[in-house]
Amino acid sequence: MAAVTCRGILKEIRIAKGSDYRNTLVYKYVLEQFKRNQVTGAQFCRARMEALHAARTYLCLLTSTRLHLRLHERYHGRGERAPEEVAGLVGLRLPTQPGGKGWET
């Protein structure tokens, strides 16, 4: 289970940092932490379980942040729009006012 979490974190680092992600400090730190908390099958290590929980939480944070930024880029406003364009975005049409501004008889 730790290997899956480690691979997931390294994948998120690769997505964030690009092709040269192996030379970053965060990559080296993650690998060092996973290697440091390895134990044999005959041992039970509470620190390893705590580290695995922290790693899963960190993986969740990285994934959620990436997905949030993707949604923000897609749906964030691009400045002020005309009222007709805004109405069209939500599927409405502005009423037409034949012969003037509409309140004159």
Side-chain angles (χ1 to χ4, degrees):
M1 201 49 118
V4 173
T5 305
C6 181
R7 276 187 261 137
I9 292 174
L10 296 179
K11 176 186 162 196
E12 292 296 328
I13 293 171
R14 183 179 67 238
I15 291 170
K17 299 294 183 181
S19 62
D20 197 29
Y21 69 101
R22 290 182 186 218
N23 295 329
T24 61
L25 291 176
V26 69
Y27 176 82
K28 294 173 184 174
Y29 178 77
V30 167
L31 284 181
E32 175 190 330
Q33 291 301 310
F34 272 94
K35 287 178 184 176
R36 192 178 83 180
N37 287 307
Q38 283 181 342
V39 293
T40 65
Q43 294 176 325
F44 178 77
C45 181
R46 180 161 295 184
R48 180 177 185 234
M49 300 307 280
E50 291 174 8
L52 184 58
H53 176 70
R56 286 182 185 154
T57 304
Y58 187 61
L59 175 60
C60 181
L61 172 74
L62 290 174
T63 305
S64 300
T65 303
R66 178 176 52 86
L67 294 176
H68 169 74
L69 289 175
R70 184 188 303 165
L71 287 172
H72 183 74
E73 288 172 3
R74 182 172 181 180
Y75 292 109
H76 185 62
R78 307 258 190 270
E80 194 166 335
R81 297 180 176 169
E84 295 83 12
E85 186 180 355
V86 173
L89 285 175
V90 294
L92 301 174
R93 256 184 350 168
L94 292 180
T96 58
Q97 301 168 350
K101 296 184 179 179
W103 62 80
E104 302 166 347
T105 54

